[in-house]
Amino acid sequence: MDMDKLVSLCKRRGFIFPSSEIYGGINGFWDYGPLGVELKRNIKDAWWRDNIHLRDDMVGLDCSIIMNPKVWEASGHVGGFSDPMVDCKDCKGRFRADQITVICLHSEEHAPAIRSAQHYWFSAMGSELDVEESNAKDFKKALAKIGPGSEGPTRTIFSPINQWVNQPEYKLFPCPTCKKQGTLTEPRAFNLMFQTNVGAVADEASKAYLRPETAQGIFANFKNVVDTGRVKIPFGIAQVGKSFRNEITPRNFIFRSREFEQMEIEFFCHPSEAAHWYKYWRDTRFQWYVTHGLGSEKLRLRDHDPDELAFYSTATADIEYAFPFGVSELEGIAHRGDYDLSQHQKFSGKDLSYFDEERKERFLPHVIEPSAGADRATLAFLCEAYNEDEVGGESRTVLKFHPRFAPIKAAVFPLVKKDGMPELADKLYRDLKRQFNVFYDEKGAIGRRYRRQDEAGTPFCITVDGQTLTDGTVTFRDRDSCRQWRVASSGAVQALRELLEGQPVPSAG
Ligand code: ATP
């Protein structure tokens, strides 16, 4: 699937717009239009319903975005939440050093070969391992040139440019944009938190941050929630809300932006049960995406290697999706031990331990954190839904959303604007609207109206036609198969409900 096509469909149909576009936009910020806001809201609502309302061991929370800055000292974000940033002194390009990958082709005695500046190629890449096209060609040429027989055994090394900082080769690496050599600065740590000031005076004492994750609000309220008496370990606290990161290179549409929404769970348990709950959440969260339609070969669960783990984590897994721009993280599930609670205990001076009535034991709970991005989920479901096919010899673009996520659940049409059809269709529309988000359209040829709804991802269309006037039935039409069948108008609300809940579309004939 072509990412440009999806981006343009999203703009044209009102899913996603560049933020403040009439002023030229602002890099890393996006707005959700009339269809997009429904799609994302449906994803967040489904997440909330499945993880909180349908369970007995979860509660929700909605914390402020700006918190006491000590929260971010305790969490380690003030000291360590940074990316290595590299600038090109010539073209002023700015890159994340860990995302510029050097591809070294060299013989076993690699140093002289590299220094000759002919035997390395490199490309600016995302976290994904996709080599830029032009570089890929160079790469192949280079391989052919120094392959076996020319300079003896060769090896290929992929490594991020920041691992080369102290090597003499560093100054040979060209800027990924302007390709000039020796123009890249050394990487500098760049803190990703947006700063602001609280109150009238902008000084050190009034400094505050926009939260870079929702998780810390949960930890800071752990004691408050326990003291409400509603919860007993093991239990979880969930939060959905905006987070902000001053990403060095926002990219790939809404995949990496500077303002985004997270859906996070902190699940607190006895240390002896943490391994069990880690596995439970890792599998449960993976299954959630499968259930909602990402169950293709594009979805995968990747356990982190030991050297990838944060020092406090004993296990982390990423749920990854093969986006058109590469395989990338949708959600991370981390076993965080008691790191966060012990940090907040230390920095706040408050006792955050939990007394377990059944075990008669006091301890700091361990935490499993499934942390998902609402925008990345939205993008994955958009990519998965996007299809181009042919119906009756005509090509169409169709978004095959899971009915739960579809922004509009059904569209109601009068076949023609006469003979009382608009009146009947309007009545049906109003009946349906009390329960579902439905859409009314009487403009244009019926085929065109169907195709407009296909593009919006509407699972069903309901048409009032000539036969409705005689026998009171309407035509239902299924988005994915384009199959049509008749339903009594009086039973249309119930029929739509059953279809949205997964009842199969009647077979042809
Ligand atoms: P990445 O390595 O891609 O920057 P991360 O590992 O830093 O992501 P986490 O800190 O684990 O991400 O955040 C949890 C989730 O929040 C991610 O899985 C992702 O879905 C979402 N997320 C993080 N950063 C962004 C962003 N800049 N734009 C959109 N979503 C994001």
Side-chain angles (χ1 to χ4, degrees), residues 463-499:
T463 304
V464 167
D465 49 27
Q467 199 177 326
T468 314
L469 306 177
T470 56
D471 70 1
T473 60
V474 290
T475 300
F476 268 55
R477 182 242 193 206
D478 172 49
R479 173 196 67 199
D480 298 351
S481 63
C482 297
R483 200 173 288 158
Q484 302 190 4
W485 68 102
R486 299 200 73 87
V487 172
S489 181
S490 55
V493 175
Q494 179 63 15
L496 180 61
R497 179 175 307 109
E498 286 168 6
L499 287 164

Side-chain angles (χ1 to χ4, degrees), residues 96 245 247 254-257 260 262 264 329-332 371-373 375-376:
R96 252 174 77 173
R245 296 183 189 178
E247 297 279 358
I254 54 172
F255 178 83
R256 184 178 302 289
S257 50
F260 54 97
Q262 290 185 306
E264 294 196 296
E329 173 183 333
L330 264 186
E331 168 162 354
S371 171
D375 309 88
R376 285 192 190 174

Side-chain angles (χ1 to χ4, degrees), residues 85-307:
M85 181 174 77
V86 160
D87 288 304
C88 172
K89 286 180 263 186
D90 199 66
C91 75
K92 310 292 176 221
R94 176 161 284 182
F95 316 95
R96 252 174 77 173
D98 56 331
Q99 291 186 345
I100 303 177
T101 296
V102 178
I103 302 167
C104 262
L105 308 169
H106 54 75
S107 60
E108 293 294 349
E109 264 68 60
H110 75 284
I114 294 169
R115 287 203 191 102
S116 74
Q118 286 170 1
H119 292 175
Y120 70 83
W121 266 258
F122 90 145
S123 72
M125 308 198 306
S127 40
E128 313 81 32
L129 263 187
D130 55 345
V131 180
E132 271 183 9
E133 240 197 2
S134 59
N135 288 323
K137 270 189 237 128
D138 290 348
F139 182 60
K140 283 207 191 100
K141 259 194 267 161
L143 267 180
K145 202 163 135 199
I146 68 163
S150 57
E151 286 183 63
T154 57
R155 284 188 303 152
T156 311
I157 294 180
F158 290 80
S159 60
I161 198 170
N162 48 336
Q163 290 181 8
W164 291 82
V165 180
N166 298 320
Q167 309 289 330
E169 292 81 11
Y170 187 80
K171 62 178 186 311
L172 298 175
F173 296 137
C175 163
T177 305
C178 71
K179 315 285 183 216
K180 286 216 177 79
Q181 277 182 309
T183 57
L184 294 180
T185 62
E186 290 199 353
R188 284 176 290 149
F190 175 76
N191 195 298
L192 298 183
M193 281 197 295
F194 279 103
Q195 276 183 30
T196 185
N197 293 88
V198 174
V201 184
D203 61 9
E204 208 37 42
S206 67
K207 195 156 94 181
Y209 305 96
L210 303 192
R211 67 180 177 201
E213 61 175 38
T214 59
Q216 297 304 322
I218 298 179
F219 294 123
N221 276 292
F222 172 71
K223 196 170 151 39
N224 280 338
V225 174
V226 168
D227 289 348
T228 61
R230 282 188 58 194
V231 291
K232 269 207 195 87
I233 260 171
F235 75 95
I237 306 179
Q239 174 162 220
V240 174
K242 287 270 172 118
S243 292
F244 302 81
R245 296 183 189 178
N246 199 359
E247 297 279 358
I248 296 170
T249 43
R251 55 154 89 205
N252 294 332
F253 200 25
I254 54 172
F255 178 83
R256 184 178 302 289
S257 50
R258 289 176 165 145
E259 174 175 344
F260 54 97
E261 257 180 301
Q262 290 185 306
M263 310 187 286
E264 294 196 296
I265 295 170
E266 305 302 328
F267 196 84
F268 301 92
C269 61
H270 188 271
S272 66
E273 294 181 345
H276 158 77
W277 284 111
Y278 168 70
K279 186 169 176 339
Y280 169 85
W281 279 111
R282 173 182 170 278
D283 298 345
T284 304
R285 290 303 306 145
F286 184 80
Q287 197 51 45
W288 192 82
Y289 293 99
V290 174
T291 305
H292 292 98
L294 296 194
S296 61
E297 69 295 343
K298 292 200 184 115
L299 195 66
R300 73 174 193 204
L301 191 57
R302 187 179 70 83
D303 292 307
H304 282 208
D305 292 333
D307 62 351

Side-chain angles (χ1 to χ4, degrees), residues 23-84:
Y23 292 102
I26 170 167
N27 196 9
F29 297 88
W30 299 91
D31 294 340
Y32 285 77
L35 287 178
V37 69
E38 299 293 340
L39 172 63
K40 185 158 107 164
R41 179 180 294 237
N42 289 342
I43 293 170
K44 290 185 291 181
D45 285 352
W47 184 91
W48 191 268
R49 181 155 175 74
D50 294 348
N51 288 301
I52 293 113
H53 290 175
L54 292 181
R55 299 179 63 104
D56 303 323
D57 55 357
M58 292 278 301
V59 291
L61 208 58
D62 184 21
C63 307
S64 63
I65 285 169
I66 294 178
M67 294 187 270
N68 188 312
K70 285 218 179 84
V71 167
W72 307 110
E73 285 170 32
S75 69
H77 284 84
V78 169
F81 191 56
S82 60
D83 281 337

